Amino acid sequence: MTDNRVDLSWDEWDELNDPRSNTSEFDQVVEAALSRRGFLSGLVAFGSGAAVMGTGALLSSTTTAEAATTKRFAFKPIEIATDASVHVPEGYNWEILTRWGDPLFSDAPDFSHETGGDAVSDRIFGENTDGMELFEVGDKQLIAVNHEYVNPKVNLPNNEDGKATSSENVRKLQNLQGVSVMEVEETGEGWKVVVDSPYNRRIHHNTPMRIAGPAAGHDLLKTAADPEGIEVLGTMNNCGSGKTPWGTYLTCEENFNGYFGSTDANFEQTPGFKRYGIKGESRYQYELFDARYDLAKNPNEPNRFGYIVEIDPTDPNAKPVKRTALGRFKHENAEVVIAKDGRVVVFLGDDERGEYLYRFVSKGVYQPGGDTDNLLDEGTLYVAKFNEDGKGQWLPLTPETTGMDEVEIYIHTRMAASAAGGTTMDRPEWVAANPISVQAYCALTNNKNRGVKPNAGGDDTSVNAVNPRETNNYGQIVRWTPADENYASDAFDWDLYVMCGNPNVHNDEYAGSSNIHPGNMFNSPDGMAFDTAGLLWIQTDGNFKNEGDFEGQGNNQMLVGDPETGEIVRFMTVPYGAEVTGLCWSADRRSMFVGIQHPSASFPDGEGKLARSAVVVVKRDDNGIIG
Ligand code: FEO
Ligand code: CA
Ligand code: CA
């Protein structure tokens, strides 16, 4: 049963296992992009320098996780792991906060290791934990956390391929996705979820939400159940997260496309469906038992997903709001910063091979304590263009730049970005902004199609300076500094913070950048967040087989990067099969909450039990600050 979990992971694991092409067209501009920030003098030279050192001929001091590090890292880096547990550095400890199936309310049934989450699955912590943020309400602490997807084979074990065969089946799976809001407290026996707290809440496929912003009321959002196009049931495929300065939670709808199917055998994809991967056949067969998911009956329903949803975690009765001004695509996370003049800036990645990185700039200005209800409803959406000289621009998406209707830009945003001429990217995952300098980072997780074939819109995806490797199975992190240290500026300078790679296996550009060595190597950066000291925490969602191109990289992991020196060290490893995703800190910064999604070993309940995604708490043994 345990390996089943890996098969069922949503994130296209197969792409990571495809054999790489034998040749690559390494673009020399990459070297320039890397050398601008001076990390080439590090442990292993990039490109030709690495070739000189050769496989197996690396300096011994770099072959362990304990490579030279600055004093900014308050721990001894750890080695890779290949087991079914969690590992943190000496002097740190971890414990489980909550797992898929644990109760949020005392009337929830016990978790079943035979059938997974129960049918009343909206009373428990949902499946496959992802992005999360912590909020303070008086002396209470709340965590809002995403549940990205469900494993139907586990939750419907008696159904062939886990496919739903009744509306009850559908409802059970629907309830396991979405968002949990839960109060947490630190007791003498560690951190606990406060069961039955009045703040506890589950938000899922059937939670009513308001549609706001430019696309609200547009014909493409109208359905039989909602002829005005202003209210939708539910949110799904909640991936990364965001937090506004005014204390709301942003949940990001990512791979919503796989939930819609058609009962019409002659279903034909529209260009919009094609660009977003909406096909006649769904992954879960909801359309057979819930007409909302049937494209033959409700062709506009998918147009109501793929947005950023704003949730007030402090009011369990507050209606969530879909903020269409932030565009419709496969949203990863939403990193909110404030521009010099007080406007709200949100950075947004579209996690699909060859899609784009976006920025929203509000029209209104944020004033602490002021009205924030409509701040995310009016503004301009931009797509990033990275030039080969280390400069870049945010290109506005307007009728003039896209040739599109001014509202449809917010519904078919991918087409708008293509028309405006953005740079196709290697799957933009999380964006994180440095709190002590005006600089933002985006994890480009991997892209097996880079230099191989165009994106779903037919856009060219040849190698370029910011996505420089053909068949990019390792990923990289790009960062940019806006002109005038102002996030509202349209111009920016960029460089590559790291090119992931494997210097044990490769002696060319696939070895990675100078700040990658055998002691810290990893693939597929995904979740990212800065701590208050300005260190970048990097979570991976990659190949964990520890063989072939990935030999020596072990299970997925969380690392810490120093933006100044480029150094990256390993802090945590998670169980075999799992990705590590979601990171936030307690109010006193002495506890760190980390999400562990889709473990394939019997984590955390032991042999013979279902593996369960979980949130763990990491602390220092001396209860010191860890972020
Ligand atoms: Fe849900 Fe792109 O990760
Ligand atoms: Ca992710
Ligand atoms: Ca990922």
Side-chain angles (χ1 to χ4, degrees), residues 11 130 148 239-240 254 332 351 427 429-430 526-527 541 579-581 597:
D11 205 15
D130 209 310
E148 187 179 27
C239 184
E254 194 188 23
E332 184 67 25
D351 179 10
R427 296 185 55 197
E429 300 253 26
W430 288 59
D526 186 335
D541 169 22
E579 72 171 275
V580 50
T581 182
Q597 194 194 87

Side-chain angles (χ1 to χ4, degrees), residues 597-619:
Q597 194 194 87
H598 60 75
S600 63
S602 296
F603 179 86
D605 297 334
E607 276 307 310
K609 306 285 186 175
L610 275 180
R612 297 161 78 180
S613 62
V615 175
V616 301
V617 190
V618 179
K619 290 181 72 72

Side-chain angles (χ1 to χ4, degrees), residues 239-509:
C239 184
S241 58
K243 184 178 180 180
T244 64
W246 52 94
T248 58
Y249 181 68
L250 301 178
T251 185
C252 310
E253 297 178 340
E254 194 188 23
N255 296 306
F256 63 94
N257 56 310
Y259 285 77
F260 297 93
S262 178
T263 53
D264 178 0
N266 299 315
F267 170 81
E268 283 183 25
Q269 271 186 319
T270 62
F273 284 170
K274 185 163 185 284
R275 184 65 186 269
Y276 286 82
I278 297 159
K279 300 170 182 160
E281 210 169 303
S282 76
R283 188 172 177 192
Y284 297 136
Q285 287 191 180
Y286 288 6
E287 72 275 14
L288 299 184
F289 307 99
D290 187 340
R292 208 151 60 84
Y293 296 78
D294 184 356
L295 299 168
K297 298 191 177 105
N298 286 294
N300 282 347
E301 192 67 17
N303 296 334
R304 294 142 67 85
F305 294 86
Y307 296 105
I308 299 292
V309 184
E310 185 173 13
I311 294 169
D312 180 354
T314 68
D315 178 1
N317 298 312
K319 200 172 191 177
V321 184
K322 295 209 176 187
R323 299 293 183 189
T324 63
L326 277 59
R328 176 173 168 266
F329 40 89
K330 294 187 180 178
H331 279 285
E332 184 67 25
N333 83 322
E335 180 73 339
V336 182
V337 291
I338 301 297
K340 268 185 177 173
D341 63 2
R343 283 183 290 168
V344 182
V345 176
V346 191
F347 294 112
L348 306 149
D350 181 354
D351 179 10
E352 182 121 38
R353 293 184 283 270
E355 290 295 341
Y356 299 98
L357 176 66
Y358 296 87
R359 179 187 70 162
F360 168 82
V361 182
S362 70
K363 184 177 177 195
V365 166
Y366 169 60
Q367 290 172 314
D371 183 1
T372 55
D373 279 358
N374 304 314
L375 268 181
L376 298 181
D377 286 343
E378 223 179 324
T380 305
L381 201 53
Y382 300 78
V383 63
K385 183 171 183 354
F386 292 86
N387 302 324
E388 305 223 330
D389 61 356
K391 307 280 186 194
Q393 294 92 35
W394 292 103
L395 307 175
L397 304 182
T398 66
E400 293 71 37
T401 63
T402 65
M404 288 169 64
D405 173 271
E406 63 180 346
V407 174
E408 202 179 334
I409 286 168
Y410 297 94
I411 303 169
H412 289 133
T413 309
R414 286 181 166 179
M415 279 98 129
S418 293
T423 300
T424 63
M425 306 295 282
D426 286 349
R427 296 185 55 197
E429 300 253 26
W430 288 59
V431 175
N434 191 331
I436 58 175
S437 67
V438 183
Q439 189 171 53
Y441 291 62
C442 180
L444 301 168
T445 198
N446 57 59
N447 183 359
K448 70 174 182 180
N449 290 345
R450 174 62 60 188
V452 176
K453 66 175 186 181
N455 70 10
D459 299 320
D460 178 64
T461 63
S462 302
V463 292
N464 57 48
V466 69
N467 305 278
R469 286 190 303 218
E470 189 175 284
T471 317
N472 177 20
N473 285 344
Y474 292 120
Q476 66 266 19
I477 297 173
V478 62
R479 64 182 177 179
W480 61 95
T481 304
D484 305 322
E485 298 190 323
N486 182 1
Y487 282 120
S489 298
D490 290 344
F492 58 84
D493 293 323
W494 67 269
D495 66 10
L496 293 169
Y497 175 65
V498 63
M499 289 292 298
C500 307
N502 191 330
N504 280 354
V505 174
H506 298 284
N507 57 13
D508 55 12
E509 67 269 27

Side-chain angles (χ1 to χ4, degrees), residues 142 144 179-181 198-204 206-211 231-232 234-235 246-249 251 309-323 372-373:
L142 313 179
V179 176
S180 287
V181 180
Y199 294 105
N200 290 0
R201 182 180 190 186
R202 279 301 317 281
I203 292 164
H204 47 66
N206 293 294
T207 305
M209 16 198 98
R210 182 165 68 88
I211 301 173
E231 181 173 290
V232 60
T235 183
W246 52 94
T248 58
Y249 181 68
T251 185
V309 184
E310 185 173 13
I311 294 169
D312 180 354
T314 68
D315 178 1
N317 298 312
K319 200 172 191 177
V321 184
K322 295 209 176 187
R323 299 293 183 189
T372 55
D373 279 358

